[in-house]
Each structure stands twice: as structure tokens, then as C-alpha cells.
Amino acid sequence: MEINTSRFGCVQIEPDDILLFSNGLLAFEDYRHWVLLADPNNPAVAWLQSLSDPEVALPMVSPRRFVPSYQVRIARGQLTPLELAALDQAFVLTILGKYQGQVTVNLKAPVIINLDRRIGRQVVTSDEQPVQMRLPSEALPLRKSA
């Protein structure tokens, strides 16, 4: 199937590539169907592209790339909708952003995906984590459209 995106033009995806976020994402609660797309210019970045709106794509990275000891601390009940058979099935990503001209990563509200079941969910951690942890400028340069 083909989807239209504002960043990558028309992209071929398989129906099995579609991720369901039954509650949407923070600020995008009505957008339930997404797909992860590789960034051709930066292998560390994936884009969570909305299938509802070609203009909506969120840059994502593995939080452990920048904080090797990062752990998601949430109530176990928050994982129930993900239908994980084991906790190691959880694929964790964090959203990149920009704040005052610097690239940041949101460690407070990670996205957890069960890749086997194609189900995702954004959670808010119960511990103190930064919403905008600044990254060194050389760590992950983003295109201006990010």
C-alpha cells in the first residue's frame, strides 16, 4: 500500500507495518494508525508517521543511545493494553524535539511498542525524568523540518 507523507513523499508500506495506538499519542489523541519510517539521512532516527495526516511525523530515537541506564518506570497496568508476553518484547522510543535551538529528547513520556502485535502506547513515567533533556549539538543533528 502507498501512503503520502510531507517529509518523504509517497512511501510503500505493508499493511503489517501499521502500528495501532488505541489512545493515540499526547497531543495527537485522534491519530491511531502510525508507521515507523527510517530516516535516510540519519540511521539513529526513525519517524513515527501518522497515517491520518501526511503532515504529522515525529522523530524518534532509542533513549538508551543517550542514557544507557534509562528505564521506564510505570505502573504495570499501563503495559496491559500492549499485550506483551514478556517485558523484553517492549520496544522503547522517545520523541526528539527542539528547545531554544537545541535538540532535546523527552524521557518523561516514552513510546512503547509491541512489535509482534503491532500495538503502541505512549506512557508517562512515574519517576522524575526530563521532558526536554538537551543533547549535545553534535550528538544528533536534525534537519530543519524536524
Side-chain angles (χ1 to χ4, degrees):
M1 96 189 258
E2 191 171 271
I3 62 167
N4 188 28
T5 73
S6 63
R7 283 178 179 74
F8 304 110
C10 288
V11 176
Q12 253 333 100
I13 66 165
E14 296 296 323
D16 288 344
D17 294 337
I18 298 171
L19 302 170
L20 173 65
F21 285 76
S22 59
N23 295 328
L25 297 170
L26 297 174
F28 299 101
E29 289 82 4
D30 293 335
Y31 297 176
R32 299 202 179 350
H33 297 94
W34 300 78
V35 65
L36 274 174
L37 300 175
D39 186 319
N41 299 316
N42 191 331
V45 177
W47 290 82
L48 192 59
Q49 173 68 53
S50 167
L51 297 186
S52 303
D53 186 343
E55 298 290 324
V56 176
L58 305 171
M60 313 285 287
V61 293
S62 169
R64 291 202 171 163
R65 179 177 184 89
F66 305 103
V67 183
S69 62
Y70 179 73
Q71 293 184 2
V72 178
R73 298 193 190 286
I74 57 173
R76 198 175 262 307
Q78 288 192 61
L79 291 177
T80 303
L82 292 173
E83 302 175 18
L84 295 165
L87 290 179
D88 63 358
Q89 282 185 308
F91 183 58
V92 179
L93 294 171
T94 52
I95 299 171
L96 290 173
K98 281 190 179 179
Y99 179 71
Q100 297 180 344
Q102 286 195 284
V103 177
T104 63
V105 65
N106 179 349
L107 297 178
K108 184 66 176 173
V111 170
I112 303 174
I113 301 170
N114 178 338
L115 291 174
D116 291 337
R117 303 277 305 174
R118 312 305 296 168
I119 302 170
R121 181 162 198 202
Q122 187 173 23
V123 298
V124 177
T125 63
S126 58
D127 60 347
E128 293 298 318
Q129 293 287 350
V131 173
Q132 296 176 321
M133 185 184 94
R134 293 180 185 189
L135 300 178
S137 57
E138 68 278 357
L140 198 62
L142 289 179
R143 294 182 287 180
K144 292 190 188 294
S145 64

